[in-house]
Amino acid sequence: MKIYLKTPEFDQEKLIRSYLHPDKGLFFYFRHMCMRMQAHFTTLIPHEKIPKVFIHGNPHTENYLITDQGAGMADFDRSRIGAYAWDIVRFLCSLSLKRIENNTPFLNATVLEYFREGYMRGFEVHKTPYKEASKSIDRANFDVWYNSTREYLDAEVKWAKEMRKSPLNVHNKVLVKILEGYLKSRKEEDLLKEYEIEEAGKAKGTFGNKRILLVLRPKKNQSKDKILLELKTVYEDPDTQHYFNPFKHHGLRMIKASELYAPLVEQGLGYATYKGQEYWGRQIPHRSAKIKDKLNEFEQVDIAYSVATQLGRAHRKSLQKDMKPDVLMKHFQLHYDHFIGLAIQMNQELIQGHQKYVELYHNKYSPSLI
């Protein structure tokens, strides 16, 4: 439990509120504990013999993105080379915490079996597309589903709203330089001959990484849609013995992960560097949804199978050169039940850590924040 223990003493009020939320607090705590969980995972199972792949790094249910281009596990901030088993354990932990029926210690055997079958299917038929979730999207949040970026901006939702909270001058030097670097990475330097920056702003992500949000409008042809871009600072997790970044730029790392795990789901991917700070960029879709609510057993089966095919496919395609596919598959078949056991243990420890956080708050801190 200690590895998952935080104290409210130095947390900001907004973060404390999120941790204490009666329905969403535990999962938010889980999201914040990703790298602690990964570090703990290395102590629970010997990593020397676990096949290495280019892992997603943080597959959990709220990272399942649905757009009109496709659907899949997105958000690749934690992607890097590492033990394939980490993706499996992290996702199973997340799905267990998202159950409507929470009357058993962990996932139902049917859900676990569908994940097993999905992973093997994705691994074996890796040259075909993975299976997208179907019924699970019934619980997705479709608040952002507009016919165009112009409509999205006019509705002033999500990132449009965030952008306008902290506006930036469209001629801001830093903004322009980062945008130029992003366009150069995409070989689209000429785009600024057709478009100009209409408005821009800055925002912060859920866990504090900085974002620049900007709108490009066509200079002449007003029938063309506007473009809404997000340029955000990247996570630069330190390399360890078992998990490391193989790319020269963290933005490039995230782009490669996107192409591997969820091709076409994210659009307009690029990267930039300004005064030593690395950025990753994308075009914000005017139609997107994520699965935020808890899932019934049928929905758990659906998304478990879908994500498993996605992970299995990407793991096969990113196997390190010295590893044969049948070695990883044999390892998976022999150790899957052990992975489940580790996921159960880690979830129990995480739940205890969250309960202790809540207890410390109520015992030492003012209840006025609730």
Side-chain angles (χ1 to χ4, degrees), residues 161-195:
K161 184 178 181 180
E162 289 296 314
M163 174 182 65
R164 288 162 180 160
K165 284 181 181 178
S166 301
L168 287 171
N169 187 306
V170 296
H171 302 295
N172 180 283
K173 178 182 176 182
V174 176
L175 165 67
V176 173
K177 287 292 185 183
I178 295 172
L179 174 60
E180 288 175 346
Y182 160 80
L183 293 175
K184 183 178 180 180
S185 75
R186 292 185 48 76
K187 299 180 180 178
E188 292 182 345
E189 295 98 323
D190 290 342
L191 188 66
L192 292 181
K193 293 180 180 178
E194 300 178 34
Y195 289 80

Side-chain angles (χ1 to χ4, degrees), residues 193-294:
K193 293 180 180 178
E194 300 178 34
Y195 289 80
E196 61 187 355
I197 304 175
E198 179 181 55
E199 59 178 319
K202 55 185 178 180
K204 285 188 177 181
T206 306
F207 299 117
N209 58 326
K210 297 178 181 179
R211 287 169 159 83
I212 293 175
L213 303 161
L214 61 98
V215 178
L216 298 178
R217 68 181 175 196
K219 292 180 178 180
K220 296 180 179 179
N221 187 354
Q222 296 302 311
S223 64
K224 285 187 176 181
D225 199 10
K226 295 180 181 180
I227 300 171
L228 176 58
L229 296 177
E230 173 192 26
L231 306 171
K232 72 175 184 177
T233 56
V234 299
Y235 291 141
E236 299 186 27
D237 298 318
D239 290 346
T240 69
Q241 179 183 359
H242 303 295
Y243 296 91
F244 58 91
N245 167 37
F247 296 95
K248 62 181 182 180
H249 194 288
H250 286 280
L252 185 59
R253 166 180 61 80
M254 293 173 65
I255 292 170
K256 294 299 183 183
S258 178
E259 293 170 351
L260 177 65
Y261 280 89
L264 303 180
V265 174
E266 297 274 29
Q267 298 290 308
L269 300 178
Y271 62 96
T273 304
Y274 180 75
K275 290 189 175 181
Q277 175 64 63
E278 296 182 356
Y279 293 82
W280 169 82
R282 67 167 182 140
Q283 184 173 341
I284 295 177
H286 53 265
R287 289 181 177 175
S288 67
K290 284 192 173 182
I291 299 174
K292 298 289 188 179
D293 292 340
K294 293 187 177 181

Side-chain angles (χ1 to χ4, degrees), residues 49-52 319-328:
K49 294 184 179 180
I50 302 179
K52 288 184 171 57
L319 266 174
Q320 297 304 283
K321 294 180 180 179
D322 58 347
M323 179 61 58
K324 294 182 179 180
D326 60 339
V327 174
L328 188 150

Side-chain angles (χ1 to χ4, degrees), residues 65-67 69-74 130 132 258 262-267 285:
L65 178 65
I66 302 160
T67 73
Q69 300 291 327
M73 192 62 63
Y130 58 85
E132 296 181 3
S258 178
L264 303 180
V265 174
E266 297 274 29
Q267 298 290 308

Side-chain angles (χ1 to χ4, degrees), residues 51-57 59 64 73 83-89 91 114-131 260-263 303-320 323-326 328-330 332-333 336 339:
K52 288 184 171 57
V53 301
F54 186 30
I55 59 172
H56 179 287
Y64 198 88
M73 192 62 63
Y84 83 95
W86 165 248
D87 278 348
I88 293 170
V89 171
F91 176 74
Y114 267 91
F115 183 90
R116 183 202 301 265
E117 291 181 12
Y119 187 87
M120 294 172 65
R121 174 190 180 276
F123 193 89
E124 294 298 335
V125 294
H126 62 282
K127 293 183 179 180
T128 62
Y130 58 85
K131 182 187 180 299
L260 177 65
Y261 280 89
I303 196 168
Y305 188 83
S306 169
V307 172
T309 63
Q310 187 180 8
L311 295 178
R313 175 181 179 275
H315 289 177
R316 171 67 180 269
K317 292 172 75 70
S318 66
L319 266 174
Q320 297 304 283
M323 179 61 58
K324 294 182 179 180
D326 60 339
L328 188 150
M329 183 47 60
K330 183 177 180 180
F332 172 76
Q333 292 171 331
Y336 180 58
F339 299 158

Side-chain angles (χ1 to χ4, degrees), residues 40-48 50 85 331 335 338-339 342:
H40 187 37
F41 184 60
T42 64
T43 70
L44 296 177
I45 183 171
H47 271 48
E48 287 73 21
I50 302 179
H331 190 277
H335 296 278
H338 183 45
F339 299 158
L342 293 177

Side-chain angles (χ1 to χ4, degrees), residues 147-162:
N147 292 321
S148 67
T149 299
R150 290 179 185 271
E151 282 190 17
Y152 176 99
L153 293 166
D154 290 343
E156 203 157 321
V157 295
K158 203 172 179 180
W159 293 119
K161 184 178 181 180
E162 289 296 314

